[in-house]
Amino acid sequence: MARGVVERYVDSVTSRTGGGSWLTKNLRKVFPSHFSFLWGELALYSLIVLIASGTYLTMFFEGSQDVVTYQGSYVPLQGQEVSAAYDSVMRISYEVKGGLFIRQMHHWAALLFIASIAMHMARIYFTGAFRRPRDINWYVGITLLVLALAAGFTGYSLPDDLLSGTGVRITYAIILALPLIGEQLAFLIFGGEWPGTDIVGRLYPVHILVVPALIVGVLAVHLALVWHQKHTQFKGPGRTEDNVVGERVWPAFAMKSIGLMFFVAAAVSAMAAIFEINPIWLYGPYDSGAATSLSQPDWYIGFLEGSLRLMPPWETRIGGFVINNIFYSGVVVSATIFGGLYAVPLIERKLTGDNRDHHLLDRPRDAPWRTAIGAASIAAVGILFIGGAQDVVARTFDMPMATVTRVLQFAFLVVPPIVLVLTRRICIALRDRPGPANSERRVPIERSADGGYGVASEDSENAISEESHS
Amino acid sequence: MKLHTRRWLHLVPIAAAAAVGFVTLTSSASEGASPYSAQSTNDLGADLFAKQCSSCHGLDGLGVEDRGPTLEHEGRAAADFVLRTGRMPLAAPNIQAKSGPVRFTEEEIVALVDHVGSLGAGPDIPNVDITNADIGDGGAVFRLNCAACHVASGAGTAIGGSHRAPSLAKATPTEVGEAILVGPGAMPVFSSLTDDDINNVAAYIKNLQEQGTTDALHFGGAGPAAEGLAAWLLALIPLIAITRWIGRPNPGRDHPVATTPSGTVSNDSEPDPDDH
C-alpha cells in the first residue's frame, strides 16, 4: 500500500520533470547486504547530526579572544576574565536553551563520526575492497579521514578552555619544529608569538566553513563513486564478478538505511543526555601559565599525542637547524601513517602483481599477508593511542608513569611483528582448515504438504549452480 | 574442588588478622617498657610515638637513615595531616604514603600531633575557613598551582617518577590547608599562597566535591581519554550491533536459491559490463 502511494507520487513528479527513467533506474539499483557494509553509513549519519547540531551552535558561538568578564550563572567562574569564545561556550552550556544538550551531541557525534570512519576503513581494507577499480575511492576516503581529523581538531580548539589551549599549544610547537620554515609558518598561522589573540578567530571559519565544505564536496564524490562503480559483495551462491546480488534501493535498502539514521541520532542523543563531555567549566579559561594533568586530545588525535609522549628525546643539528623529537613524533610519524594509508592500493599491487578489477570481496583469511600487515599496523597505531593516555593507564593500574612509558616504547617495537606473524598463521590455519569444502553453504529445507520437513530436492540444487555459472 | 578453594579463601583474612594481631602484640610488648617515654611532656603522645613511629623516624623524631625523615620541622600540621588521612603509619618504609583507614582514636591523634609539634619549629594546623571564601579566585589558584598534578576535576593521577597525586574527592578544607603548608610527599610547599588563597582554594575543592566531578557518571574526572573510550564502547559498539541486526542476511534476497519466489533479486539489469 505504502509503496503504491510513493510510486504514484514519484510518477506525478517525474511526469512533469521528465526524470522518470533515471529516477526509476536508480531506485531499482541493487545493494548487497552485509552488516559491515553499513559502517560507512554510521559515519554519514554522524556527519548529518554534526552539521545539524553545529549549525545551532554557530548561532551562539563567538570566535574571538577579546577579554571579557564572566558574568554567567556558573558561580565558580563569576568575575573571572575569560575570552569571548570561552564566555560564549559557557553561555551555550548554561544559559542557551538546549545548548548543553546540543553541544554534547555535537561532541559525541564527532567522536562517533571518526570512530565509524575507522571501522569503515578497516572493513574496506580487510576485505580488499580498495583494489582496482575502487582504489580511486580509497584515496577519496583517506582524504575524508584527514578532513574529518581536521574538523575534529579545529572544533576541539574553539572553546578556548585549558584543554583546547593546551592542544593548540602543542600544535604551535609542532609547527615550530618544522625545519627551515617552522618559525615563519607559526607566526603566519598564529599572527605572532604564542598565544596571540588571533588563533580562535582564524580556526572558527576553518571549522565551520572551509573544512565542512570540503567534507561535503569530497563525500559527494565518495558516494557518487560507490553508486557508479557499484558496491562490492562477498562471495556466495549466485554472486559473480559481473553481478550484484542484494536488495533494491527502494524500498528495502532505503528503509534500512533511514532506520539506521534514526538509530545513530538516538545513540548520540542518549550519550548527550546521559554523559557529560568536555566540561569546560572545570578546565577553566586558557591561561598559558595553567595546566592540568590527564589532558588529552579527543581520542582520534591520540596517536599523535602518543608518538609525542613515547618518542625518545632525540635531537640532531643539521646545518644550523635543530631536528628534535617533536619533528620526528609530530611530523614524521603522522606523515608515515597517512602516507602509508594512501599507498595501500599501490603497495598491494606491487606485492601481489594483481592489476585486475575486483568486485568480489575477500574474507580476511583469504589474504593472510594483507590481513597480517593490517593487524600489525593497527597494533602499532593502537600502542600510540595507548601512549597518548599513558598517564591514564598509570593512574588506572596504579603503576609508575615511567614504567608505563618504557613498556609502551618497547611494545611499539615488539608487538607489531608478533601480531604480524600470529595473524598470518591464524589466517592460513583458518583458510586451510579441513572440513566440508562449503561449510558455510546454506542447505534449503522444504516443508511438505503434511507438515514434515526435508532437504530440498536435487533439482533446485542444480538450479543454483546453473545460475551461478551463467 | 570449588568448595575447597572457597573454604581456603575464607581462611585468608582470618590468618592475616591473626598474623597482624600477633605482630602487634609482640611488638607492643617488647617496646611497651621503653625507657624513653618519660622524656616528653606529653606521656601518651611520646609513648605512642615510641611504639608506632620511632622505628622509622627515630625515638628522638630526627629520622633514621634509609627508613624515615626527620620530623623536626614538620610541625603539628604535618602530623595532623598524615594521621587523620590514615597515611601514617606506613606499611613499609620508602613507599609513597596513601590515605587509608585512620589507625588512632581522636585522643591519640591529638597527643601524637602535640608530640610532633614539640619536636621543633614547624607549621601549626591552619584554621581554614571557607564560609566567606571567593570560589572564583580559588578556581584560578587551583588551575595555576594544583591542577597540573591533581587534575582539573580533582581526580588525581600518576605524576613523574613513581609518585601519585592523590584524589581530592575526600579532602577536607583543613587537610587542603595542611597539604599546602607542609608539602607532603612529592608535593612542594606552596609558600606563596596567602591565607585567603588557601581558604579560596579549599572552597573551590569543596565545590568540586559537591559537583561530583570524580563520579562514575563524569568518567572519574579522567578527561578525553575516558570520553573517547565511552564513545567506542557505549555508542559505536551498540550501533555496530544494530547494523548486525539491520544488515542481517535475508535468505530470500541475499541467497537467491532456486526455490525462492519471484521476489528474489539477483543480477537484474546491472551492472552493464562497460560500466566498470
Side-chain angles (χ1 to χ4, degrees):
Chain A
M1 183 65 194
R3 204 176 168 188
V5 169
V6 171
E7 281 176 349
R8 280 208 302 280
Y9 177 74
V10 168
D11 282 349
S12 78
V13 173
T14 52
S15 63
R16 288 166 174 83
T17 60
S21 63
W22 177 84
L23 190 65
T24 317
K25 182 166 172 268
N26 280 314
L27 283 178
R28 284 173 53 79
K29 197 170 178 66
V30 169
F31 270 92
S33 12
H34 188 273
F35 76 104
S36 69
F37 297 170
L38 296 171
W39 297 349
E41 285 176 57
L42 292 180
L44 175 67
Y45 295 132
S46 308
L47 178 66
I48 289 175
V49 174
L50 276 170
I51 291 174
S53 55
T55 307
Y56 186 73
L57 295 176
T58 57
M59 296 173 191
F60 307 102
F61 180 75
E62 274 182 59
S64 154
Q65 278 167 280
D66 293 344
V67 177
V68 297
T69 303
Y70 179 74
Q71 288 169 329
S73 51
Y74 183 69
V75 176
L77 279 172
Q78 282 169 0
Q80 299 291 310
E81 289 200 335
V82 301
S83 69
Y86 183 84
D87 188 54
S88 67
V89 183
M90 284 302 289
R91 194 160 52 248
I92 289 169
S93 306
Y94 276 87
E95 275 91 23
V96 171
K97 289 214 188 312
L100 180 63
F101 178 67
I102 300 291
R103 201 191 124 222
Q104 300 203 141
M105 265 184 96
H106 193 67
H107 205 137
W108 283 121
L111 301 191
L112 181 63
F113 178 47
I114 302 179
S116 347
I117 291 178
M119 291 301 289
H120 175 56
M121 187 171 76
R123 198 281 293 173
I124 301 290
Y125 177 83
F126 286 109
T127 58
F130 60 84
R131 290 172 297 178
R132 224 186 111 84
R134 291 175 187 79
D135 47 353
I136 185 168
N137 219 6
W138 172 267
Y139 303 133
V140 175
I142 299 297
T143 308
L144 275 175
L145 171 66
V146 174
L147 288 170
L149 293 177
F153 174 76
T154 51
Y156 176 89
S157 305
L158 288 182
D160 202 26
D161 63 311
L162 190 47
L163 267 191
S164 76
T166 307
V168 181
R169 180 74 186 88
I170 295 172
T171 314
Y172 191 87
I174 293 176
I175 296 170
L176 275 184
L178 287 169
L180 205 63
I181 56 166
E183 285 166 40
Q184 276 81 1
L185 190 62
F187 268 53
L188 182 71
I189 293 173
F190 287 80
E193 287 206 33
W194 178 261
T197 53
D198 293 339
I199 189 64
V200 169
R202 291 179 179 184
L203 288 178
Y204 187 39
V206 174
H207 179 70
I208 66 164
L209 178 69
V210 180
V211 177
L214 285 172
I215 288 181
V216 170
V218 178
L219 181 61
V221 174
H222 196 61
L223 295 179
L225 279 171
V226 172
W227 202 272
H228 177 72
Q229 294 186 321
K230 303 187 173 62
H231 206 288
T232 48
Q233 58 188 352
F234 280 105
K235 290 166 190 148
R239 300 175 188 180
T240 70
E241 289 278 3
D242 299 316
N243 70 1
V244 181
V245 176
E247 296 166 324
R248 296 202 186 280
V249 166
W250 191 265
F253 182 75
M255 287 301 161
K256 287 183 175 183
S257 189
I258 292 168
L260 190 59
M261 178 175 80
F262 286 118
F263 273 115
V264 170
V268 173
S269 308
M271 293 297 284
I274 298 169
F275 299 114
E276 176 183 273
I277 186 165
N278 195 20
I280 59 154
W281 49 92
L282 278 191
Y283 301 125
Y286 181 69
D287 175 339
S288 44
T292 172
S293 268
L294 301 183
S295 71
Q296 257 85 25
D298 277 345
W299 78 263
Y300 42 83
I301 307 287
F303 68 96
L304 197 55
E305 180 82 14
S307 83
L308 285 167
R309 292 188 185 199
L310 297 185
M311 183 66 67
W314 294 336
E315 191 171 300
T316 46
R317 281 170 187 278
I318 300 174
F321 292 106
V322 177
I323 310 283
N324 61 15
N325 63 330
I326 298 181
F327 176 74
Y328 296 123
S329 54
V331 181
V332 175
V333 168
S334 38
T336 309
I337 291 174
F338 290 101
L341 283 174
Y342 272 111
V344 158
L346 206 69
I347 295 171
E348 161 115 357
R349 233 178 1 250
K350 279 264 186 262
L351 291 181
T352 60
D354 181 357
N355 210 15
R356 287 166 300 163
D357 281 3
H358 291 275
H359 304 289
L360 284 178
L361 295 172
D362 287 334
R363 286 195 301 180
R365 68 188 64 169
D366 299 334
W369 267 118
R370 181 202 297 146
T371 304
I373 291 171
S377 309
I378 288 176
V381 175
I383 287 166
L384 290 185
F385 272 108
I386 298 171
Q390 117 268 46
D391 50 346
V392 182
V393 175
R395 174 180 183 261
T396 308
F397 297 104
D398 205 3
M399 289 163 70
M401 197 138 73
T403 312
V404 175
T405 307
R406 185 47 53 93
V407 167
L408 287 173
Q409 284 172 331
F410 280 100
F412 183 75
L413 301 176
V414 173
V415 172
I418 296 174
V419 170
L420 184 88
V421 172
L422 272 183
T423 311
R424 189 163 166 276
R425 285 207 179 160
I426 291 170
C427 286
I428 291 171
L430 281 175
R431 190 188 58 188
D432 301 342
R433 74 182 158 172
N438 285 324
S439 58
E440 303 266 321
R441 201 169 79 184
R442 285 164 172 75
V443 179
I445 290 181
E446 280 181 346
R447 191 171 186 188
S448 61
D450 56 356
Y453 294 90
V455 177
S457 60
E458 281 295 312
D459 295 347
S460 43
E461 288 269 282
N462 291 338
I464 302 169
S465 56
E466 265 171 35
E467 193 182 351
S468 63
H469 285 295
S470 66
Chain B
M1 184 60 207
K2 250 186 180 174
L3 265 177
H4 278 258
T5 317
R6 277 190 193 156
R7 260 183 219 155
W8 183 80
L9 279 175
H10 275 125
L11 291 178
V12 171
I14 297 169
V20 169
F22 179 73
V23 170
T24 315
L25 277 175
T26 48
S27 57
S28 43
S30 60
E31 289 175 24
S34 166
Y36 299 91
S37 56
Q39 280 187 357
S40 169
T41 52
N42 178 335
D43 280 350
L44 175 61
D47 194 41
L48 280 169
F49 191 86
K51 284 177 187 163
Q52 303 286 348
C53 319
S54 64
S55 63
C56 296
H57 294 296
L59 282 167
D60 52 4
L62 298 180
V64 175
E65 204 173 337
D66 296 332
R67 291 185 69 82
T70 173
L71 302 180
E72 192 179 357
H73 301 296
E74 290 295 312
R76 290 159 48 84
D80 192 60
F81 178 80
V82 297
L83 294 174
R84 286 190 192 281
T85 56
R87 282 184 164 75
M88 292 287 158
L90 271 184
N94 302 320
I95 61 167
Q96 184 183 350
K98 285 180 182 157
S99 57
V102 179
R103 311 298 171 89
F104 300 99
T105 64
E106 178 65 29
E107 189 196 4
E108 290 169 333
I109 289 176
V110 171
L112 269 172
V113 166
D114 284 343
H115 178 75
V116 173
S118 71
L119 294 173
D124 200 357
I125 298 170
N127 182 23
V128 182
D129 179 14
I130 62 169
T131 44
N132 292 314
D134 184 329
I135 296 182
D137 284 350
V141 170
F142 185 84
R143 285 187 293 275
L144 281 168
N145 297 288
C146 317
C149 294
H150 289 287
V151 185
S153 60
T157 187
I159 50 174
S162 40
H163 298 295
R164 196 183 159 95
S167 165
L168 303 177
K170 294 201 169 69
T172 65
T174 306
E175 286 163 18
V176 170
E178 287 167 348
I180 291 171
L181 292 177
V182 172
M187 180 168 161
V189 177
F190 286 86
S191 49
S192 64
L193 297 189
T194 64
D195 288 352
D196 277 347
D197 285 337
I198 292 175
N199 291 342
N200 294 344
V201 84
Y204 183 75
I205 290 169
K206 187 86 185 156
N207 177 272
L208 291 181
Q209 293 166 352
E210 282 162 4
Q211 282 191 50
T213 52
T214 57
D215 287 355
L217 263 188
H218 301 271
F219 307 113
E227 291 163 3
L229 204 59
W232 278 82
L233 298 182
L234 303 178
L236 185 67
I237 289 182
L239 281 170
I240 282 179
I242 285 170
T243 64
R244 179 90 213 185
W245 171 61
I246 287 185
R248 68 195 180 279
N250 182 332
R253 294 195 183 91
D254 301 319
H255 302 278
V257 291
T259 49
T260 50
S262 55
T264 299
V265 180
S266 155
N267 202 352
D268 66 333
S269 60
E270 59 169 335
D272 306 328
D274 48 12
D275 231 294
H276 293 308

